[in-house]
Structure formats: structure tokens, C-alpha cells
Amino acid sequence: MIQLKSLQRVNPRDVEAPKKFYVQAVGAGKTDLDRLAYLISNQSTVRKPDCYAVLEALLHNMMDELREGRIIELGNIGNFQIGVSSDAVDTEEEVTSNLVRKAKISFRPAKALRDLLQTVNYKKVS
């Protein structure tokens, strides 16, 4: 169940307009690598320390591959890729890596995860 709360905000396009209420999802706790290792170990014959080691190795190798500019494709999970925002220049000759203002890791969920959004339930909380 996804918990929701109301949040009053100003319209950034018209700061003089009356504030309106929006819905915001509220996190219901966190699941870390240790918990994922525990859950996976209870669904298989692999022990928790082995699952944890595999998850840590996955993280390490994902970081190495992203550093090399590769897209990480994790099947039914989705894809990870580094993207950048940059300043604009007038000519192609002026384009250099110094124009990068911000980098981010983009995640594009696979169909199975996107379809999950059609099946979740919502509940308003205070």
C-alpha cells in the first residue's frame, strides 16, 4: 500500500496565484542490501552472506561499467545510464567536457516494474 499525504505548494509559474494542494507519496521505510540478501536467501538455497556478496559485487561492477560509459541492462529490472546537463555554446568547436554542469544516473524501469504501477493501492495518511 502506497501512503499519500497532502502538500500545499505555490505554482512556480505564477507565484501570485493561490496555493493549491497536491498529493505526495510517503516512504514506508527502507530496504537495504542486507534485507534484500535476507529476503533472497529465504527464497532460494543460497545463504544470506552469499546473497549479500553477490549484491555487493553487482554494485561494484555496475559502478565500474557506468564509469566506462556503458548502459547497464538488468533484464526485467531495467536499465541504468549516466546522463549529463550542460551549458550551451554557439559552435561545435566550443563543445568540451568543461560544459558539463551536472551528471546523474538515470534508471529506466523494464516493463514488469512499470506494470507494477497499475496494481498498487493508495491510502491517504495524515
Side-chain angles (χ1 to χ4, degrees), residues 33-34 50-63:
L33 284 179
D34 191 56
D50 297 323
C51 292
Y52 189 81
V54 169
L55 291 170
E56 281 289 333
L58 174 64
L59 173 62
H60 173 81
N61 287 294
M62 284 179 66
M63 291 169 60

Side-chain angles (χ1 to χ4, degrees), residues 39-110:
L39 293 170
I40 293 167
S41 70
N42 283 323
Q43 297 170 344
S44 67
T45 59
V46 181
R47 295 171 24 132
K48 180 182 167 188
D50 297 323
C51 292
Y52 189 81
V54 169
L55 291 170
E56 281 289 333
L58 174 64
L59 173 62
H60 173 81
N61 287 294
M62 284 179 66
M63 291 169 60
D64 286 348
E65 294 299 302
L66 287 169
R67 254 187 221 105
E68 293 298 319
R70 294 186 182 95
I71 298 170
I72 307 295
E73 296 180 349
L74 294 179
N76 289 332
I77 295 173
N79 299 337
F80 293 85
Q81 179 178 9
I82 291 181
V84 297
S85 298
S86 73
D87 294 320
V89 292
D90 294 325
T91 66
E92 186 173 353
E93 289 75 26
E94 295 176 88
V95 174
T96 68
S97 60
N98 293 333
L99 294 175
V100 174
R101 277 187 287 124
K102 182 172 83 172
K104 66 178 182 176
I105 296 176
S106 299
F107 172 68
R108 288 181 305 281

